[in-house]
Amino acid sequence: MDHTEFRVKAKEMVDYIADYLENIRDHRVYPSVQPGYLHKRLPQEAPQMPEKWDDIFRDVEDHIMPGIVHWQSPHMHAYFPALTSYPSIMGEMLSSALNVLCFTWASSPAGTELETIAMNWLGKVLGLPECFLNEKNDSPGGGVIQTTASEATLVSLLAARTKALMELSKLNPDLQSSELLGHLICYCSDQAHSSVEKAGLIGLVRMRYIESDEHQSMRGDKLEEAILNDKSKGLAPFWVCATLGTTGSVAFDNLREIGQVCEKHSAWLHVDAAYAGSAFVCPEYRHWLEGVEMADSFAFNPSKWLMVNFDCTAMWVKDSTALHRTFNVNPIYLRHENSGKAIDYMHWQIPLSRRFRALKLWFVLRNYGVVGLQKHIRECVRLAQKFEALVLADQRFEIPQPRNLGMVAFRLKGDNALTERLLKRLNARGYIHAVPACFKGVYVIRFTVTSQRTTNQDILDDWNEIKTVASEILVDMFGSEYGNVVVPKKPRISLKETRELNATFGTSLLLANSPMSPKIVNGTHVAICDYEQVLNSCAQTFAQLKMEPKDSPEMRRRIRGIKMCGKKFSLDSCMDMVQGLMMEQSLPQCSEEEREEASTGSSPGEPSSKSSSPVNISGSKPEVASDTNQLQVPCTPKPHRSKSMDVSLMGLSLDDTKITIDMKNNEITITPTASKSFDNSMEASQKPGHYDDIDEKHIIGETITQALENFQQKDIDERIETKSDACSAKLTIRGPGNYIKKLIQQFSEAEDSKPESEKTTSSPSIRDRADAICKKCLHYKGKIGK
């Protein structure tokens, strides 16, 4: 293949990759092949003569793809994620083209320094302490990219072993290292990954497994008990591995307790966070990271959950000299003139040569950014929560351990054999793929959200597949899809019984597509709340809305149906009622200028930066109140809407009253002057009213219709109180402070703006004035058409 053909075929390969990932759902996630299938399809020897690229790639589609487990599929739920992404793929392409070996600074200065920079970036994103970063020339700590978490575990164990042997040799100079090696012992949880056990085998040291608690977590007291017991036998504890996010159930060891024990006994603490470490890009999950400052090394896999394709394991150490002592070999052909001035990563790992892995990590960090990575993690956790809810809603299944992050461990109730049979049949069908786990004798299926392409529908499809297979198994074994699980029948509760149990909530009106076809259902399971508080909250929300009146025959029929029904309504029905009431009143809209003022926080006619006038008004002239009751209007008050005050004062004019405002108690008191009373202010044609027992109080409650009609009058009391003398009768209006301020301002401005001739000839009633004021509060102007 020459460069000309490469340009063509490489572009075709990019299209093939993009098509594959875009249509990943079209592939059966788990192949249906048997061991040895490929040996039967491919030749036993390499070809002697060159073959055409088209023939080679045709074999990929015909022979390789049928045996692929599609790890990027949304239906892949086995193991932990092994994600890739387009920027990571492009970084891998460029790294493969450059093909530099970054074992010393001299072999690739850019490769070495980019790795240091990318690891410092990533450490800060996770919230690691500064002792793990390498931002200064004399920083003892730093980060390095290893191939796998298994290698990082082994590297830390070997470094800790070297340190322990050096200390024991000082105390026992007569003993050889091989003799001292038999006294070393290390520790991990019984839920730790198998790679920890493998590291102990390679390091030729004993491994003690600490029993985890009921949450599969290793605790400090159990660890210290084991260490003291081993010390009494002449053993030397030197290394402890704490796991953040165990393989079986994503459990978290108590890092702070373990760190304190390790400091006390001078043991190296390594933190294995292979899967869960990616979640620490989100601050809400960093509580599991508390105590990490006491660790000596920390490792996790960006190749799992951060969409950096394999291989890429991020490892940080507090003291890199421990790695140098273990892996330092310095033949003359590897020396360079800048040795000691720059990092040579060959001293931080087991192999000599290393790939340019930092490039793809750097691409992903820059292309997604911290916000993009956080969004990805949170979405995976949300989908796992959704699956958890589906499992808990089916009484045939159970979740033995609480869900953490993006994995749910579930099982069929009953014997382990049921769950094992379910898993085998699921994998055999090939539509989803999962693997088992076992803790404390409980066999579970691990369901991990592994793909950034997973959607809600994918989760529902996978759950339906699980339910279908589970029903088949239970019917085969027990003759019923519920198996041996007794499912209690849900009692049927009538609407009448529901209302008898609780009159304030329990039913809701669900409107079908046809607004004249209401459906009453039992809604007691939806929420337990105070109905009046809900309505008050809705009323406050309505008061903040800027609604445009809408009218149509369909809307009018809907509103008539709602009024005829007389039941409690849904929220959308309430909004329709509000719209309908607005149309019935036919209130003209305010001007654009007034709307702009309202949007900036001022009501119509209100100067945005001025305070209101003093607070006592007699007739139309304001009087100054006491200092304690001085009115102070905020510079940017919220627009307030009010319904007209419906009080029986139609014949009482402003000239006949003294209006006093008490801002301390948030009330307006209207008192007739000596020449007038509430009785003689009424029109002659109207039957005199008796106000001795009047106590009108508008409170949102009882029915939602009443709440809508009075939606702005929350906590507003309208009272008319009388004493023995008729002239002392008065009207008191109480309400929120901003409501009272609006009324004061509108009264003052309306009266002050009148010409003198109009003031003397026109005496509008209090009701008319209240209507005008309230229409302004609603951002409408003009009189209501009679």
Side-chain angles (χ1 to χ4, degrees), residues 215-248:
H215 300 298
Q216 316 305 316
S217 173
M218 181 169 67
R219 304 302 297 270
D221 54 348
K222 291 284 186 180
L223 174 63
E224 185 163 27
E225 181 183 345
I227 288 177
L228 293 175
N229 185 40
D230 289 333
K231 278 189 171 182
S232 66
K233 298 176 182 178
L235 299 176
F238 78 99
W239 184 82
V240 177
C241 180
T243 304
L244 298 183
T246 60
T247 305

Side-chain angles (χ1 to χ4, degrees), residues 507-548:
T507 61
S508 61
L509 178 65
L510 300 183
L511 297 177
N513 291 333
S514 173
M516 299 305 293
S517 305
K519 297 178 181 178
I520 304 295
V521 299
N522 180 5
T524 55
H525 63 284
V526 175
I528 298 178
C529 56
D530 186 284
Y531 191 64
E532 184 173 333
Q533 288 182 2
V534 172
L535 295 181
N536 290 345
S537 178
C538 288
Q540 286 182 329
T541 303
F542 293 154
Q544 304 300 324
L545 297 177
K546 295 182 179 180
M547 295 175 295
E548 299 291 341

Side-chain angles (χ1 to χ4, degrees), residues 453-467:
R453 297 172 179 82
T454 305
T455 64
N456 286 328
Q457 189 59 48
D458 293 322
I459 296 297
L460 293 174
D461 292 343
D462 293 339
W463 176 238
N464 288 333
E465 171 71 3
I466 293 170
K467 289 197 302 180

